[in-house]
Amino acid sequence: MSAASRRPGPPPRVRVYVCTAVALALLLAPASGWLGAAWRFEAWPEAMLLAALLAVAHRQRVQIGLHRTINVGTAPEVAAVLLLPGPLAVLALVAGTAAGERRGPLIQRSFNIAAATLRALAGLGAYVALRHAGPTAISDPLATLAAPLAMYVGGTMLVLGVAAV
Amino acid sequence: MRENPLRRAWATPHDTLVAEAALGLVGIMAALASADHPWTLPLLVVPAALAQRALRDGVALRAQTRQALEDLADVVDMRDHYTFQHSQRVAELARATARQLRLPASEVELITMAGRVHDVGKIGIKSTVLMKPGKLSDREFAEMRSHPVVGARLIGNFPQFARGRAYVLHHHERFDGKGYPERLAGEQIPFGARVLAVADAWDAMTSHRAYRQALPLERVYAELERGRGAQFDPAVLDAFLHVLRERPDLAAAHTTEAQDTDETEPQAPRAPEHAA
């Protein structure tokens, strides 16, 4: 029997948590239609380029500890959220993550894709909410900085949630 | 029993925060530049690739540093053949106990790493003291007791070990406050150090030493129970005993190895490092 086949699957509570995250992502994804930049022709090639970059980043993960990796996908993710129309930003993050996470257990891939969707929505939400919150000179830079922060906090909370359950 | 979960939640992502912030800024700059000049977006590849290279180099450097320090710990173990692979066994036992306590993966990793180098401060102790078969004089005993401080100072110089420094410094503290070097008690003792204390005591008692033979297992268990609440954190001890029950391989491999190590007669006992 191989080591992989002996490895026990995640506990039921983790499965429930991942299923909840996936359901939440599916439920909230349509809300991206109201978020993000305006539609324009260049958005499609930009989305494809960012998705490709994200996929490469996911495949080139760097192991920084036991069960802990980091990748440079944050940069294309943030660029996608700030640059693309909402649905296209979500699509780029989902496609890039899915393409980069072709290996690994299904539950892990599902969680990562759901987390990418929720991160994108958190970033888009923060960007849109703050962009119209005051004078452009203040709200624009504030919204630009708040989007990646919301993505980071959202992503971190989701990952910490797995450890907590 | 466990550390503050908020502190743990902060510590978990903290070490990646700088890299994430830098990458986030790269993403912002790429978005701002390509909003006016769409052709600049592919240039994002350049900083992303450089960041990837820097991350890989950083991880490699950390691994090399860690390996060097672990090699140093092995050298300390090898100076005295009675303690051969002591640090590896303590690290393994501490890892299993930390997992049993359901600590987060990063904390388990930190405790394991601290267990691996917990005795590195013995590098500064004279061989005549380290391997003395008889009772230690007060001066020699004081020298022996300095090893947690020396070890903590040594590993404190390495950023990736800095968080484990407290575990190394306090792994000889006792739960009742009668340990050393700072006579901390109860919850004052860092949790990882309490885990190391039990694993270290078990390995010390089940190994032959220059000054005595390995204790019979029944006596070792009795000594552990005697130290409950006095030398050891009861919760950690419970987890450790559970690990020994569930993982007899961990205990058996070690004690068999200890039995085969040496056939010398037991020597006059000296002032032990552990109360047990």
Side-chain angles (χ1 to χ4, degrees), chain B residues 163-175:
Chain B
R163 280 178 58 219
R165 181 187 169 278
Y167 299 169
V168 172
L169 179 63
H170 297 297
H171 76 275
H172 278 295
E173 303 285 1
R174 290 170 52 104
F175 205 62

Side-chain angles (χ1 to χ4, degrees), chain A residues 13 42 46 49-50 53 57 60-68 70-72 74-76 78-79 82-83 144-145 148 152 156 160 163-165, chain B residues 9 12-13 15-17 19-20 23-24 26-28 30-31 34-35 38 41-42 44-45 48 51-52 55-56 59 62 95 99 102 105-106 109:
Chain A
R13 57 183 181 276
E42 296 89 348
E46 284 169 357
L49 175 67
L50 291 170
L53 275 176
Q60 303 288 324
R61 278 180 296 209
V62 179
Q63 188 88 27
I64 57 166
L66 197 68
H67 307 307
R68 295 183 67 214
I70 187 170
N71 64 57
V72 296
T74 304
V78 170
L82 295 179
L83 198 62
T144 305
L145 290 173
Y152 178 75
T156 303
L160 284 178
V165 299
Chain B
T12 304
D15 54 353
T16 59
L17 194 60
E20 292 283 357
L23 288 165
V26 169
I28 289 174
S34 62
L41 191 60
L44 176 61
V45 173
Q52 173 81 17
L55 281 174
R56 275 198 194 286
V59 168
R62 284 167 60 141
R95 182 207 299 271
R99 280 185 177 160
R102 296 196 63 205
S106 61
E109 189 184 1

Side-chain angles (χ1 to χ4, degrees), chain B residues 179-202:
Chain B
Y180 63 92
E182 293 180 5
R183 299 177 74 85
L184 300 184
E187 303 285 321
Q188 290 178 314
I189 306 169
F191 195 73
R194 284 179 256 161
V195 174
L196 290 185
V198 182
D200 193 25
W202 164 271

Side-chain angles (χ1 to χ4, degrees), chain B residues 126-198:
Chain B
K126 289 194 282 287
S127 297
T128 49
V129 176
L130 200 62
M131 290 176 270
K132 187 175 179 179
K135 192 173 180 178
L136 296 177
S137 67
D138 288 346
R139 193 173 170 179
E140 291 167 335
F141 198 43
E143 185 178 344
M144 198 66 163
R145 283 182 155 207
S146 70
H147 82 267
V149 178
V150 175
R153 196 186 308 142
L154 187 64
I155 70 164
N157 294 325
F158 298 92
Q160 71 263 44
F161 283 92
R163 280 178 58 219
R165 181 187 169 278
Y167 299 169
V168 172
L169 179 63
H170 297 297
H171 76 275
H172 278 295
E173 303 285 1
R174 290 170 52 104
F175 205 62
D176 58 9
K178 293 178 183 171
Y180 63 92
E182 293 180 5
R183 299 177 74 85
L184 300 184
E187 303 285 321
Q188 290 178 314
I189 306 169
F191 195 73
R194 284 179 256 161
V195 174
L196 290 185
V198 182

Side-chain angles (χ1 to χ4, degrees), chain A residues 122-145:
Chain A
L124 288 165
Y127 184 68
V128 170
L130 286 175
R131 203 174 177 199
H132 305 292
T136 313
I138 298 170
S139 64
D140 252 12
L142 203 63
T144 305
L145 290 173

